[in-house]
Amino acid sequence: MRLTTLSFITLVFLTSCSDKQNISSEMYIGTYRIMDQMVPYPFIIQQKKDTIYLYNNKGNSIDKITNTSINKNKSLNFQEKHLKIIQKEDDEFLAFDLLDTTNFKTFKNGNPSPKNSAKFKKIKSENKLDLQKVKKEIGKFIWKYDVVEDENSNPNNDLEIEKLFYFKNDSLNIITNYYYQGLKTISEYETKSYNIFVIDNIYFLSLQKESSNPQPIYQIVRYDSNKIELRDFSSRVSKNIIFHKESISVIDYTELAKNSSIYSNCFDGYQGEYYFGDDVTFNKGNEYIINYVNENIPKNETNSGYLIVHFNINCSGKVGNFGLIQMNRDFKATAFSKEFVNHTINKVSKLEEFPASNSQLEWLNYKDVHAFLMFKINNGKIVDVCP
């Protein structure tokens, strides 16, 4: 009887210790730095007992330090990052890298600025996944994502945007399709590297490009052969996004990619505005654009108003990443015919005389710009454009 009681007490003690050990392990994912620019900050920090680990965007532990807690005003002094905690809440904290004077700007008095710090969000395990199954199956299918727009998106009221993903062994291929009233107007194609990894039963999908163009890390919440659910931390409010298995073959996908224009932002984290710094107005002038877009314009449009095409100009002068807003003469929402819209956006997408963009301003770092063309339409004919 005494042995049984002792065994029970021992079991309770061990279970209690195990629970404390689990509680003492916390994981934080880097979301973005600079509050009004939201540049991805692809690092993961794990506190486990008295050790804090730093992981990169491939899930590799790149450093560790002995520390007991993550609290305000403490510094996590890794070898290449000295992260000073300047704000701390239950489920997130802001950290300022004291060693990185290029990406982390201080106040005029030299103190760390919360606005320019990196945000880390606490995450927890959701569902246990078979990682090898995920890695093996994910490349067998084409996955579709109906884009949920956020602060990182260009202004857009009227285009439906979908992305088609093909996970090859060495790269992630992305086709972006833009639809208006069910008609596909244009398609863009780009490739990135990716990695799938796990840290203490939390699963991640990370994207990678060159080191100067940081990409986000997503948490894999659920996976089956028909759906991937991810948690996206790249905007101010975290959201779940879902990839659905698409019923097209790899061969068909490859053909779609061949018929899509190649476009990629040079710096995905932030695009400046066209009026910042260097002049990025169209080299041939607005009169050329008016005549160019009016050429072979559909004759069935009779409405008047404004058609605003938003887009990015990357550091090579290429145009992509579209949005669309339409208004009547009273600046209220309207809709032009799909033939008219399709024609106009396609014409804009083929403009090649924009100068390459790249910020020269010390206080504002960007490589691409957000721009727009606002077409004034009178009875189905473009009569003016700005800016």
Side-chain angles (χ1 to χ4, degrees):
M1 179 68 178
R2 182 178 178 182
L3 182 60
T4 304
T5 303
L6 181 60
S7 299
F8 176 75
I9 293 173
T10 302
L11 178 61
V12 171
F13 176 77
L14 291 174
T15 303
S16 176
C17 289
S18 176
D19 288 342
K20 289 180 180 179
Q21 180 176 330
N22 291 335
I23 292 172
S24 67
S25 178
E26 295 182 336
M27 198 173 302
Y28 296 84
I29 188 169
T31 61
Y32 54 82
R33 61 176 174 83
I34 310 179
M35 290 183 181
D36 59 354
Q37 297 182 17
M38 291 183 288
V39 179
Y41 198 67
F43 295 94
I44 294 171
I45 288 177
Q46 181 189 31
Q47 179 187 359
K48 198 169 185 179
K49 293 185 177 179
D50 60 352
T51 304
I52 295 180
Y53 299 85
L54 178 67
Y55 297 87
N56 64 11
N57 62 355
K58 296 182 179 180
N60 298 324
S61 177
I62 55 176
D63 205 350
K64 64 180 180 179
I65 56 175
T66 299
N67 209 319
T68 56
S69 61
I70 299 174
N71 292 322
K72 184 177 178 179
N73 295 326
K74 292 190 67 174
S75 290
L76 309 181
N77 293 333
F78 299 105
Q79 185 172 350
E80 297 184 1
K81 291 182 180 295
H82 287 186
L83 298 175
K84 182 177 179 60
I85 312 301
I86 56 177
Q87 288 184 14
K88 177 68 169 67
E89 299 180 12
D90 289 341
D91 62 346
E92 63 183 52
F93 65 85
L94 298 181
F96 191 96
D97 190 350
L98 299 173
L99 298 182
D100 187 350
T101 58
T102 300
N103 294 314
F104 290 79
K105 304 296 184 182
T106 62
F107 288 121
K108 290 183 178 180
N109 60 11
N111 290 328
S113 166
K115 175 185 174 182
N116 292 320
S117 61
K119 181 178 180 180
F120 283 82
K121 191 80 175 176
K122 184 188 289 187
I123 55 176
K124 61 182 181 179
S125 178
E126 295 280 350
N127 297 283
K128 187 170 179 58
L129 304 176
D130 184 337
L131 190 65
Q132 295 308 313
K133 177 182 178 183
V134 175
K135 290 182 175 181
K136 182 178 180 180
E137 286 190 353
I138 198 169
K140 293 182 178 179
F141 312 116
I142 307 300
W143 303 90
K144 185 179 79 167
Y145 167 49
D146 294 320
V147 173
V148 178
E149 297 175 19
D150 55 33
E151 301 97 323
N152 298 307
S153 307
N154 274 339
N156 175 50
N157 289 345
D158 301 320
L159 290 178
E160 295 179 0
I161 305 173
E162 72 171 19
K163 291 183 180 289
L164 298 177
F165 296 91
Y166 174 36
F167 293 86
K168 295 178 68 174
N169 290 334
D170 57 349
S171 63
L172 171 58
N173 301 267
I174 307 170
I175 296 175
T176 303
N177 293 322
Y178 299 85
Y179 291 88
Y180 176 69
Q181 295 183 355
L183 175 66
K184 184 166 73 172
T185 59
I186 50 176
S187 296
E188 296 167 353
Y189 174 73
E190 66 173 322
T191 62
K192 301 181 180 184
S193 298
Y194 77 97
N195 200 31
I196 296 172
F197 60 91
V198 59
I199 304 173
D200 279 4
N201 292 322
I202 303 181
Y203 303 84
F204 300 94
L205 166 65
S206 66
L207 306 182
Q208 294 110 37
K209 295 186 79 172
E210 55 277 1
S211 59
S212 60
N213 188 5
Q215 303 289 304
I217 301 175
Y218 302 95
Q219 182 183 0
I220 305 175
V221 178
R222 291 178 182 83
Y223 173 85
D224 60 44
S225 299
N226 295 298
K227 182 174 69 175
I228 308 170
E229 185 174 354
L230 306 174
R231 183 154 297 134
D232 179 4
F233 300 93
S234 63
S235 57
R236 290 187 178 89
V237 179
S238 304
K239 63 180 183 292
N240 283 16
I241 60 178
I242 296 177
F243 295 0
H244 292 281
K245 185 173 71 174
E246 184 71 346
S247 58
I248 65 171
S249 68
V250 172
I251 295 176
D252 291 338
Y253 184 93
T254 303
E255 286 301 312
L256 288 173
K258 289 179 181 178
N259 294 318
S260 301
S261 61
I262 297 176
Y263 178 81
S264 179
N265 289 329
C266 297
F267 187 68
D268 290 297
Y270 177 70
Q271 290 78 51
E273 296 296 336
Y274 69 94
Y275 47 79
F276 288 165
D278 298 335
D279 185 3
V280 293
T281 55
F282 188 68
N283 288 337
K284 293 184 177 180
N286 283 0
E287 192 66 28
Y288 175 91
I289 294 177
I290 294 171
N291 294 331
Y292 167 73
V293 179
N294 271 328
E295 183 180 349
N296 298 322
I297 200 165
K299 304 299 184 183
N300 64 336
E301 183 60 68
T302 59
N303 287 342
S304 299
Y306 303 92
L307 191 153
I308 309 170
V309 181
H310 289 266
F311 52 91
N312 289 347
I313 306 167
N314 71 10
C315 64
S316 301
K318 302 297 184 182
V319 172
N321 196 14
F322 290 90
L324 175 67
I325 296 175
Q326 302 172 89
M327 300 182 295
N328 61 21
R329 287 292 174 83
D330 296 322
F331 303 104
K332 296 180 180 178
T334 191
F336 293 94
S337 71
K338 58 185 177 182
E339 294 81 9
F340 187 88
V341 170
N342 178 63
H343 169 87
T344 304
I345 294 180
N346 267 278
K347 283 284 193 175
V348 172
S349 72
K350 293 179 173 61
L351 290 172
E352 296 182 347
E353 297 295 329
F354 285 100
S357 64
N358 207 334
S359 170
Q360 303 299 318
L361 302 176
E362 182 180 354
W363 58 274
L364 190 62
N365 180 30
Y366 63 84
K367 295 183 179 180
D368 320 278
V369 299
H370 159 246
F372 69 90
L373 291 173
M374 181 175 181
F375 295 98
K376 182 178 181 180
I377 299 159
N378 187 17
N379 296 322
K381 184 177 180 180
I382 295 171
V383 295
D384 197 6
V385 64
C386 66

